[in-house]
Structures are given as structure tokens and as C-alpha cells.
């Protein structure tokens, strides 16, 4: 049995499990099944390894310095702060409508940003920056695609998730309804285990506190 260590060996393992070595048409479609599985990972997997930190510099030479491009692997934002300001203050999230209302109410006078929102593929700041601040973002990133990288942290951490995820995507194509339950159980079990591990590895570092009305208990 093939040991899964990278993209190529994953495809070989999927071929072995399907037991259809001579079906060249099916084998040629395995990269697509892996791609579909990765899309599902990005929607359903929540582990600390998906969190990434990145910095960007406000471009005062731009016509719209309040907009900053998001990282190419961005999926959702966890935190934004001004890392170049003493104390590294965090910015508060506002919806797009709230940002527009704030700008109108303050005449959009340039100042140190206090708020942010995500607009398309950009981060929007308000007030419009009055200096070249360094913005630090902590965000949830997409799992790096094996087709591009050959391997990634998720394949090393959970080869079973990749295997069952890809196999599950083959079932409708080859009309193997009987295998959907087997592969689906394997996928769900691996996904649940990883998400549970993500919770314990994030919150077991110390006791949690409850904040009520500005008081820490």
C-alpha cells in the first residue's frame, strides 16, 4: 500500500483504493477529485494551522489609501491592528453601510484608523489613514492547494482526510453509491477529529475568562 507523503503518492493511493488501475479516464480525473475535496476542506475545516499573520503598509501615494489588498489566500478575518502605533491598537469591525455612515458623519477627515471592513478582495479602513501605518492582519487562510505546492501541512497532518475526501468525490462520478457511506464516514470522522483537535489546541493553553460590562471575572 502506498504511503501518502505528497500529491503524487496521494493520487496513487486513491487509485489503489478504487481498484480500477486500468481505467485511465478515471485516473486522469483524480486531480479534480482532490481539488473538490480541498474546496470542501476550506468550507468545513477550522484548525489553528489555517490562521496566518500578514502585514501591509498604507500607501499614501494612492488615490484611495483607505483600501489595502488582502492576501491571495485570504478567507476570513480574525483581527486587524495598527502594529506601527504604540500599544498596537486593534481596529473595530464595521459593516460596509456603517463605514459609509461614519465617513459621512465625520466628513471623512483623515486620521488614525479605528475601524475596518472587508470589501471584495480589499481591506477598507476608516477614518482614511493620515500616515503610512503598518497594518497587521490575522486571518483564516485557504489550505494550500496540492496541485501548486506538491505537499502541505494538512496532508502531513491528516493524510486520511485527503484520501477519504478525494474518494468521496469519486463516488458520484463512478456511480458507486454503496461506497459513499464508507468513504463518507471516513471523511466525517477525520474532519471531526481535526476540528476537535483544533478546539483543544487553541483553548487548552490556559483558563478562559468571561468579560461582562467591561469587567473581567
Amino acid at each position: 500500500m502506498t504511503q501518502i507523503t505528497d500529491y503524487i503518492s496521494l493520487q496513487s493511493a486513491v487509485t489503489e483504493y478504487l481498484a480500477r488501475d486500468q481505467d485511465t479516464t478515471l485516473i486522469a480525473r483524480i486531480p479534480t477529485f482532490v481539488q473538490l475535496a480541498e474546496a470542501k476542506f476550506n468550507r468545513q475545516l477550522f484548525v489553528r494551522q489555517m490562521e496566518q499573520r500578514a502585514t501591509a503598509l498604507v500607501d499614501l501615494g494612492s488615490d484611495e489609501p483607505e483600501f489595502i489588498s488582502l492576501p491571495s489566500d485570504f478567507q476570513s478575518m480574525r483581527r486587524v491592528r495598527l502594529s506601527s502605533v504604540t500599544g498596537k491598537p486593534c481596529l473595530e469591525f464595521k459593516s460596509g453601510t456603517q463605514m459609509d455612515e461614519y465617513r459621512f458623519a465625520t466628513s471623512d477627515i483623515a486620521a488614525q484608523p479605528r475601524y475596518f471592513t472587508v470589501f471584495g478582495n480589499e481591506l477598507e479602513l476608516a477614518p482614511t489613514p493620515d500616515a503610512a501605518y503598518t497594518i497587521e492582519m490575522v486571518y483564516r487562510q485557504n489550505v494550500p492547494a496540492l496541485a501548486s505546492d506538491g505537499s502541505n501541512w494538512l496532508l502531513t497532518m491528516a493524510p486520511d482526510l485527503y484520501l477519504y475526501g478525494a474518494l468521496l468525490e469519486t463516488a458520484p462520478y463512478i456511480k458507486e453509491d454503496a461506497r459513499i457511506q464508507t468513504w463518507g464516514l471516513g471523511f466525517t470522522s477525520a474532519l471531526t477529529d481535526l476540528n476537535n483537535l483544533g478546539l483543544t489546541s487553541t483553548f487548552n493553553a490556559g483558563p478562559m475568562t468571561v468579560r461582562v460590562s467591561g469587567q473581567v471575572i
Side-chain angles (χ1 to χ4, degrees):
M1 184 177 295
T2 300
Q3 182 178 4
I4 301 174
T5 58
D6 54 21
Y7 188 39
I8 299 300
S9 58
L10 172 63
Q11 294 180 65
S12 297
V14 172
T15 301
E16 291 177 0
Y17 271 72
L18 291 173
R20 295 175 65 165
D21 298 18
Q22 305 306 312
D23 189 340
T24 56
T25 301
L26 174 62
I27 293 173
R29 283 166 172 70
I30 290 178
T32 300
F33 300 140
V34 174
Q35 179 190 27
L36 293 175
E38 288 179 328
K40 193 172 292 183
F41 301 160
N42 287 325
R43 294 192 299 270
Q44 300 181 10
L45 187 62
F46 296 89
V47 293
R48 61 178 175 79
Q49 286 82 1
M50 297 179 76
E51 292 184 352
Q52 181 69 24
R53 185 165 61 94
T55 58
L57 185 66
V58 169
D59 182 8
L60 288 181
S62 168
D63 292 336
E64 297 179 308
E66 68 271 27
F67 289 101
I68 295 175
S69 296
L70 292 169
S72 60
D73 59 354
F74 173 85
Q75 189 179 103
S76 60
M77 191 67 74
R78 177 169 177 178
R79 184 188 72 201
V80 179
R81 64 182 183 181
L82 302 178
S83 61
S84 59
V85 174
T86 301
K88 299 183 179 180
C90 288
L91 304 189
E92 180 183 338
F93 174 81
K94 283 185 178 291
S95 68
T97 299
Q98 290 173 325
M99 293 284 273
D100 291 340
E101 292 173 347
Y102 174 82
R103 290 189 191 283
F104 180 79
T106 60
S107 300
D108 196 26
I109 297 175
Q112 178 177 307
R114 297 172 55 196
Y115 307 105
F116 80 93
T117 196
V118 175
F119 182 82
N121 294 320
E122 295 178 303
L123 179 73
E124 181 182 356
L125 306 174
T128 295
D130 61 348
Y133 298 98
T134 298
I135 308 298
E136 180 186 271
M137 296 171 278
V138 175
Y139 65 97
R140 183 170 182 267
Q141 65 175 169
N142 288 319
V143 175
L146 290 182
S148 301
D149 296 353
S151 187
N152 60 32
W153 61 265
L154 182 57
L155 185 68
T156 301
M157 185 179 185
D160 55 335
L161 181 67
Y162 257 106
L163 176 63
Y164 284 116
L167 288 171
L168 185 59
E169 296 300 329
T170 72
Y173 179 82
I174 62 178
K175 298 178 174 59
E176 284 282 1
D177 293 343
R179 296 191 184 186
I180 291 178
Q181 183 175 4
T182 299
W183 293 334
L185 286 174
F187 173 78
T188 301
S189 177
L191 183 69
T192 300
D193 286 347
L194 279 176
N195 280 332
N196 287 338
L197 181 61
L199 286 173
T200 57
S201 64
T202 300
F203 295 113
N204 273 2
M208 297 181 66
T209 60
V210 178
R211 185 181 297 273
V212 180
S213 301
Q215 303 270 331
V216 176
I217 299 176

mmCIF file of all heavy atoms in Angstrom, residues 70-97:
data_model
loop_
_atom_site.group_PDB
_atom_site.id
_atom_site.type_symbol
_atom_site.label_atom_id
_atom_site.label_comp_id
_atom_site.label_asym_id
_atom_site.label_seq_id
_atom_site.Cartn_x
_atom_site.Cartn_y
_atom_site.Cartn_z
ATOM 1 N N LEU A 70 -6.066 42.403 0.144
ATOM 2 C CA LEU A 70 -5.985 41.267 1.058
ATOM 3 C C LEU A 70 -5.005 40.231 0.523
ATOM 4 O O LEU A 70 -4.750 40.170 -0.684
ATOM 5 C CB LEU A 70 -7.369 40.624 1.214
ATOM 6 C CG LEU A 70 -8.419 41.467 1.941
ATOM 7 C CD1 LEU A 70 -9.805 40.834 1.777
ATOM 8 C CD2 LEU A 70 -8.074 41.606 3.414
ATOM 9 N N PRO A 71 -4.436 39.381 1.405
ATOM 10 C CA PRO A 71 -3.558 38.305 0.944
ATOM 11 C C PRO A 71 -4.286 37.398 -0.042
ATOM 12 O O PRO A 71 -5.511 37.223 0.048
ATOM 13 C CB PRO A 71 -3.212 37.561 2.242
ATOM 14 C CG PRO A 71 -3.383 38.581 3.324
ATOM 15 C CD PRO A 71 -4.528 39.433 2.886
ATOM 16 N N SER A 72 -3.558 36.823 -0.972
ATOM 17 C CA SER A 72 -4.174 35.996 -2.017
ATOM 18 C C SER A 72 -4.856 34.751 -1.459
ATOM 19 O O SER A 72 -5.768 34.206 -2.094
ATOM 20 C CB SER A 72 -3.113 35.596 -3.047
ATOM 21 O OG SER A 72 -2.059 34.858 -2.425
ATOM 22 N N ASP A 73 -4.416 34.278 -0.286
ATOM 23 C CA ASP A 73 -5.016 33.074 0.304
ATOM 24 C C ASP A 73 -6.041 33.409 1.380
ATOM 25 O O ASP A 73 -6.441 32.552 2.157
ATOM 26 C CB ASP A 73 -3.933 32.163 0.880
ATOM 27 C CG ASP A 73 -3.084 32.853 1.958
ATOM 28 O OD1 ASP A 73 -3.261 34.070 2.166
ATOM 29 O OD2 ASP A 73 -2.254 32.174 2.580
ATOM 30 N N PHE A 74 -6.488 34.658 1.411
ATOM 31 C CA PHE A 74 -7.422 35.111 2.442
ATOM 32 C C PHE A 74 -8.774 34.423 2.332
ATOM 33 O O PHE A 74 -9.311 34.244 1.238
ATOM 34 C CB PHE A 74 -7.615 36.627 2.330
ATOM 35 C CG PHE A 74 -8.678 37.183 3.246
ATOM 36 C CD1 PHE A 74 -8.367 37.516 4.555
ATOM 37 C CD2 PHE A 74 -9.988 37.353 2.805
ATOM 38 C CE1 PHE A 74 -9.338 38.031 5.408
ATOM 39 C CE2 PHE A 74 -10.953 37.871 3.650
ATOM 40 C CZ PHE A 74 -10.634 38.207 4.954
ATOM 41 N N GLN A 75 -9.333 34.050 3.502
ATOM 42 C CA GLN A 75 -10.683 33.512 3.539
ATOM 43 C C GLN A 75 -11.588 34.308 4.473
ATOM 44 O O GLN A 75 -12.681 34.706 4.105
ATOM 45 C CB GLN A 75 -10.675 32.044 3.965
ATOM 46 C CG GLN A 75 -12.037 31.376 3.797
ATOM 47 C CD GLN A 75 -12.008 29.929 4.188
ATOM 48 O OE1 GLN A 75 -12.469 29.570 5.264
ATOM 49 N NE2 GLN A 75 -11.472 29.082 3.331
ATOM 50 N N SER A 76 -11.139 34.571 5.695
ATOM 51 C CA SER A 76 -11.927 35.380 6.626
ATOM 52 C C SER A 76 -10.982 36.042 7.625
ATOM 53 O O SER A 76 -9.897 35.527 7.894
ATOM 54 C CB SER A 76 -12.968 34.529 7.358
ATOM 55 O OG SER A 76 -12.357 33.490 8.095
ATOM 56 N N MET A 77 -11.420 37.177 8.171
ATOM 57 C CA MET A 77 -10.565 37.955 9.059
ATOM 58 C C MET A 77 -10.823 37.596 10.513
ATOM 59 O O MET A 77 -11.969 37.371 10.918
ATOM 60 C CB MET A 77 -10.816 39.448 8.855
ATOM 61 C CG MET A 77 -9.794 40.347 9.536
ATOM 62 S SD MET A 77 -8.149 40.187 8.785
ATOM 63 C CE MET A 77 -8.413 41.092 7.240
ATOM 64 N N ARG A 78 -9.746 37.543 11.299
ATOM 65 C CA ARG A 78 -9.873 37.332 12.730
ATOM 66 C C ARG A 78 -9.548 38.596 13.513
ATOM 67 O O ARG A 78 -10.209 38.930 14.483
ATOM 68 C CB ARG A 78 -8.956 36.191 13.189
ATOM 69 C CG ARG A 78 -8.995 35.988 14.696
ATOM 70 C CD ARG A 78 -8.314 34.717 15.121
ATOM 71 N NE ARG A 78 -8.317 34.591 16.572
ATOM 72 C CZ ARG A 78 -7.817 33.562 17.216
ATOM 73 N NH1 ARG A 78 -7.278 32.558 16.565
ATOM 74 N NH2 ARG A 78 -7.838 33.524 18.538
ATOM 75 N N ARG A 79 -8.500 39.332 13.083
ATOM 76 C CA ARG A 79 -8.088 40.514 13.824
ATOM 77 C C ARG A 79 -7.307 41.452 12.916
ATOM 78 O O ARG A 79 -6.563 41.006 12.039
ATOM 79 C CB ARG A 79 -7.212 40.114 15.021
ATOM 80 C CG ARG A 79 -6.796 41.273 15.929
ATOM 81 C CD ARG A 79 -5.789 40.795 16.962
ATOM 82 N NE ARG A 79 -4.488 40.527 16.362
ATOM 83 C CZ ARG A 79 -3.549 39.747 16.908
ATOM 84 N NH1 ARG A 79 -3.783 39.149 18.046
ATOM 85 N NH2 ARG A 79 -2.389 39.572 16.299
ATOM 86 N N VAL A 80 -7.485 42.762 13.146
ATOM 87 C CA VAL A 80 -6.697 43.775 12.437
ATOM 88 C C VAL A 80 -6.211 44.771 13.474
ATOM 89 O O VAL A 80 -6.982 45.215 14.335
ATOM 90 C CB VAL A 80 -7.544 44.521 11.374
ATOM 91 C CG1 VAL A 80 -6.698 45.587 10.685
ATOM 92 C CG2 VAL A 80 -8.102 43.548 10.353
ATOM 93 N N ARG A 81 -4.931 45.127 13.411
ATOM 94 C CA ARG A 81 -4.425 46.128 14.342
ATOM 95 C C ARG A 81 -3.342 46.970 13.683
ATOM 96 O O ARG A 81 -2.776 46.589 12.648
ATOM 97 C CB ARG A 81 -3.891 45.469 15.614
ATOM 98 C CG ARG A 81 -2.692 44.557 15.452
ATOM 99 C CD ARG A 81 -2.326 43.936 16.798
ATOM 100 N NE ARG A 81 -1.135 43.097 16.710
ATOM 101 C CZ ARG A 81 -0.625 42.424 17.748
ATOM 102 N NH1 ARG A 81 -1.209 42.499 18.929
ATOM 103 N NH2 ARG A 81 0.459 41.693 17.598
ATOM 104 N N LEU A 82 -3.059 48.111 14.297
ATOM 105 C CA LEU A 82 -2.025 49.012 13.799
ATOM 106 C C LEU A 82 -0.712 48.648 14.501
ATOM 107 O O LEU A 82 -0.455 49.091 15.625
ATOM 108 C CB LEU A 82 -2.403 50.462 14.085
ATOM 109 C CG LEU A 82 -3.727 50.953 13.495
ATOM 110 C CD1 LEU A 82 -3.978 52.399 13.915
ATOM 111 C CD2 LEU A 82 -3.723 50.824 11.978
ATOM 112 N N SER A 83 0.123 47.881 13.855
ATOM 113 C CA SER A 83 1.340 47.398 14.505
ATOM 114 C C SER A 83 2.411 48.475 14.609
ATOM 115 O O SER A 83 3.376 48.324 15.373
ATOM 116 C CB SER A 83 1.894 46.177 13.768
ATOM 117 O OG SER A 83 2.228 46.497 12.437
ATOM 118 N N SER A 84 2.274 49.566 13.864
ATOM 119 C CA SER A 84 3.277 50.635 13.904
ATOM 120 C C SER A 84 2.934 51.723 14.921
ATOM 121 O O SER A 84 3.673 52.688 15.072
ATOM 122 C CB SER A 84 3.423 51.262 12.517
ATOM 123 O OG SER A 84 2.182 51.791 12.070
ATOM 124 N N VAL A 85 1.816 51.543 15.632
ATOM 125 C CA VAL A 85 1.382 52.517 16.630
ATOM 126 C C VAL A 85 1.633 51.949 18.019
ATOM 127 O O VAL A 85 1.448 50.754 18.260
ATOM 128 C CB VAL A 85 -0.120 52.846 16.452
ATOM 129 C CG1 VAL A 85 -0.622 53.750 17.572
ATOM 130 C CG2 VAL A 85 -0.356 53.487 15.094
ATOM 131 N N THR A 86 2.061 52.780 18.954
ATOM 132 C CA THR A 86 2.316 52.344 20.320
ATOM 133 C C THR A 86 1.091 51.641 20.904
ATOM 134 O O THR A 86 -0.030 52.169 20.834
ATOM 135 C CB THR A 86 2.676 53.541 21.221
ATOM 136 O OG1 THR A 86 3.833 54.191 20.684
ATOM 137 C CG2 THR A 86 2.965 53.087 22.639
ATOM 138 N N GLY A 87 1.319 50.467 21.464
ATOM 139 C CA GLY A 87 0.215 49.686 22.014
ATOM 140 C C GLY A 87 -0.461 48.795 21.003
ATOM 141 O O GLY A 87 -1.287 47.955 21.361
ATOM 142 N N LYS A 88 -0.143 48.966 19.731
ATOM 143 C CA LYS A 88 -0.715 48.163 18.650
ATOM 144 C C LYS A 88 -2.229 48.017 18.792
ATOM 145 O O LYS A 88 -2.754 46.912 18.978
ATOM 146 C CB LYS A 88 -0.047 46.782 18.606
ATOM 147 C CG LYS A 88 1.442 46.830 18.344
ATOM 148 C CD LYS A 88 2.047 45.443 18.230
ATOM 149 C CE LYS A 88 3.543 45.534 17.931
ATOM 150 N NZ LYS A 88 4.172 44.200 17.802
ATOM 151 N N PRO A 89 -2.959 49.119 18.741
ATOM 152 C CA PRO A 89 -4.407 49.058 18.943
ATOM 153 C C PRO A 89 -5.118 48.240 17.867
ATOM 154 O O PRO A 89 -4.788 48.332 16.684
ATOM 155 C CB PRO A 89 -4.827 50.527 18.888
ATOM 156 C CG PRO A 89 -3.770 51.184 18.055
ATOM 157 C CD PRO A 89 -2.502 50.487 18.409
ATOM 158 N N CYS A 90 -6.103 47.474 18.315
ATOM 159 C CA CYS A 90 -6.927 46.703 17.389
ATOM 160 C C CYS A 90 -7.996 47.593 16.780
ATOM 161 O O CYS A 90 -8.513 48.505 17.439
ATOM 162 C CB CYS A 90 -7.587 45.531 18.114
ATOM 163 S SG CYS A 90 -6.445 44.197 18.543
ATOM 164 N N LEU A 91 -8.326 47.325 15.543
ATOM 165 C CA LEU A 91 -9.395 48.055 14.877
ATOM 166 C C LEU A 91 -10.719 47.320 15.077
ATOM 167 O O LEU A 91 -10.757 46.097 15.149
ATOM 168 C CB LEU A 91 -9.100 48.198 13.382
ATOM 169 C CG LEU A 91 -7.772 48.859 12.996
ATOM 170 C CD1 LEU A 91 -7.736 49.114 11.499
ATOM 171 C CD2 LEU A 91 -7.562 50.157 13.762
ATOM 172 N N GLU A 92 -11.785 48.088 15.158
ATOM 173 C CA GLU A 92 -13.118 47.523 15.370
ATOM 174 C C GLU A 92 -13.796 47.284 14.024
ATOM 175 O O GLU A 92 -13.705 48.113 13.116
ATOM 176 C CB GLU A 92 -13.946 48.483 16.215
ATOM 177 C CG GLU A 92 -15.363 48.013 16.501
ATOM 178 C CD GLU A 92 -16.154 49.037 17.289
ATOM 179 O OE1 GLU A 92 -15.532 49.885 17.962
ATOM 180 O OE2 GLU A 92 -17.402 49.006 17.214
ATOM 181 N N PHE A 93 -14.482 46.161 13.904
ATOM 182 C CA PHE A 93 -15.177 45.846 12.646
ATOM 183 C C PHE A 93 -16.458 46.654 12.514
ATOM 184 O O PHE A 93 -17.208 46.834 13.478
ATOM 185 C CB PHE A 93 -15.518 44.361 12.579
ATOM 186 C CG PHE A 93 -16.350 44.000 11.376
ATOM 187 C CD1 PHE A 93 -15.754 43.809 10.143
ATOM 188 C CD2 PHE A 93 -17.730 43.877 11.481
ATOM 189 C CE1 PHE A 93 -16.521 43.503 9.023
ATOM 190 C CE2 PHE A 93 -18.502 43.563 10.369
ATOM 191 C CZ PHE A 93 -17.897 43.378 9.133
ATOM 192 N N LYS A 94 -16.715 47.157 11.318
ATOM 193 C CA LYS A 94 -17.986 47.769 10.963
ATOM 194 C C LYS A 94 -18.439 47.200 9.622
ATOM 195 O O LYS A 94 -17.601 46.805 8.800
ATOM 196 C CB LYS A 94 -17.861 49.289 10.841
ATOM 197 C CG LYS A 94 -17.819 50.045 12.162
ATOM 198 C CD LYS A 94 -17.814 51.553 11.925
ATOM 199 C CE LYS A 94 -17.826 52.351 13.221
ATOM 200 N NZ LYS A 94 -19.100 52.229 13.944
ATOM 201 N N SER A 95 -19.723 47.156 9.419
ATOM 202 C CA SER A 95 -20.234 46.718 8.123
ATOM 203 C C SER A 95 -19.960 47.797 7.084
ATOM 204 O O SER A 95 -19.625 48.948 7.423
ATOM 205 C CB SER A 95 -21.738 46.455 8.209
ATOM 206 O OG SER A 95 -22.447 47.669 8.406
ATOM 207 N N GLY A 96 -20.131 47.461 5.818
ATOM 208 C CA GLY A 96 -19.920 48.440 4.769
ATOM 209 C C GLY A 96 -20.831 49.646 4.920
ATOM 210 O O GLY A 96 -20.412 50.794 4.728
ATOM 211 N N THR A 97 -22.087 49.409 5.277
ATOM 212 C CA THR A 97 -23.034 50.505 5.479
ATOM 213 C C THR A 97 -22.621 51.388 6.647
ATOM 214 O O THR A 97 -22.676 52.629 6.575
ATOM 215 C CB THR A 97 -24.448 49.951 5.732
ATOM 216 O OG1 THR A 97 -24.876 49.192 4.598
ATOM 217 C CG2 THR A 97 -25.439 51.082 5.993
#
